[in-house]
Amino acid sequence: MFNKQGGGKFKMISTVYAITLVCIGLVIAVFYYVFVNSKEADPDYQSIIKKWYGVRSKWFLFLLVLGLTVSVLTTTPFPTPDQKKEYSSDDYQNVTVDAHQWYWIMTPSTVKAGQPVEFKVSAADVNHGFGIYDEHMELVAQTQAMPGYTNKLIHTFDKPGKFKILCLEYCGLAHHAMITELTVE
Ligand code: CUA
């Protein structure tokens, strides 16, 4: 079920991407058509044209280089675990998380430090939020817990300790009581 839905979402993103590319292509085609079919300007404007068109093309080139540079420098890989990849259980500690109104079923509830943990998070009834907090009650990692969908959350705990699992999305009367504990050895 998970793979099928994950694949569907990926296909949708690919379709949106393809449509975007086609639209960009159309805009370029329109610009090209207008450029090719544009007529010579009035003689009165020739001096202005001569003076400013050179500036304009240099300005365009400058903006193009600036835009590309900023894009390349600021675009980093989106820090989300690969939702499609299946890991072997040798590399990852697997923890299954099921959210219910209003409790967590998490197996196992003890993991080792220094080795990545893959949480497979789902919900039995409504949307919940799976949030892992350290002993200072600072959020360490989180993902959605959704019915009918398994979200993967990969996190490596650096050192042992007691972690709290809190629900991050209002899910009804006892939302605040959805607390459990994760032990890292
Ligand atoms: Cu579960 Cu809020």
Side-chain angles (χ1 to χ4, degrees), residues 105-127:
I105 296 178
M106 185 169 61
T107 34
S109 57
T110 301
V111 294
K112 282 178 281 177
Q115 190 190 350
V117 182
E118 187 184 75
F119 295 94
K120 290 197 174 87
V121 183
S122 193
D125 33 48
V126 297
N127 268 14

Side-chain angles (χ1 to χ4, degrees), residues 63-79:
L63 286 181
L64 188 73
V65 171
L66 182 76
L68 284 175
T69 310
V70 169
S71 299
V72 167
L73 290 179
T74 56
T75 308
T76 52
F78 199 61

Side-chain angles (χ1 to χ4, degrees), residues 8-39:
K9 194 181 169 196
F10 183 70
K11 205 171 275 176
M12 198 186 82
I13 292 168
S14 304
T15 309
V16 170
Y17 187 65
I19 291 169
T20 307
L21 281 183
V22 169
C23 290
I24 291 171
L26 281 175
V27 170
I28 291 171
V30 167
F31 269 81
Y32 183 74
Y33 178 82
V34 170
F35 175 74
V36 165
N37 290 284
S38 56
K39 296 201 172 68

Side-chain angles (χ1 to χ4, degrees), residues 1-183:
M1 183 172 68
F2 163 72
N3 277 330
K4 218 169 124 188
Q5 292 192 346
K9 194 181 169 196
F10 183 70
K11 205 171 275 176
M12 198 186 82
I13 292 168
S14 304
T15 309
V16 170
Y17 187 65
I19 291 169
T20 307
L21 281 183
V22 169
C23 290
I24 291 171
L26 281 175
V27 170
I28 291 171
V30 167
F31 269 81
Y32 183 74
Y33 178 82
V34 170
F35 175 74
V36 165
N37 290 284
S38 56
K39 296 201 172 68
E40 277 291 302
D42 213 296
D44 289 354
Y45 294 114
Q46 284 303 336
S47 61
I48 299 169
I49 288 167
K50 209 173 261 177
K51 193 175 168 190
W52 287 105
Y53 272 30
V55 177
R56 195 173 67 168
S57 60
K58 274 179 204 126
W59 177 242
F60 174 74
L61 202 69
F62 168 75
L63 286 181
L64 188 73
V65 171
L66 182 76
L68 284 175
T69 310
V70 169
S71 299
V72 167
L73 290 179
T74 56
T75 308
T76 52
F78 199 61
T80 301
D82 190 348
Q83 297 282 303
K84 297 187 298 298
K85 193 172 170 185
E86 290 289 343
Y87 296 96
S88 80
S89 49
D90 305 351
D91 306 331
Y92 285 80
Q93 311 177 71
N94 290 290
V95 175
T96 309
V97 180
D98 256 302
H100 296 253
Q101 284 172 311
W102 292 275
Y103 58 95
W104 299 100
I105 296 178
M106 185 169 61
T107 34
S109 57
T110 301
V111 294
K112 282 178 281 177
Q115 190 190 350
V117 182
E118 187 184 75
F119 295 94
K120 290 197 174 87
V121 183
S122 193
D125 33 48
V126 297
N127 268 14
H128 301 266
F130 176 71
I132 308 172
Y133 287 80
D134 67 10
E135 57 263 46
H136 309 296
M137 290 311 280
E138 269 177 35
L139 188 62
V140 166
Q142 67 86 30
T143 190
Q144 284 285 123
M146 299 146 76
Y149 196 87
T150 304
N151 283 316
K152 290 181 180 184
L153 174 68
I154 296 163
H155 182 73
T156 307
F157 296 91
D158 303 331
K159 48 183 193 286
K162 294 259 189 234
F163 290 78
K164 283 251 189 311
I165 309 299
L166 267 64
C167 186
L168 291 179
E169 184 163 333
Y170 184 72
C171 56
L173 218 55
H175 153 73
H176 61 280
M178 277 188 73
I179 301 170
T180 190
E181 208 167 66
L182 176 75
T183 307

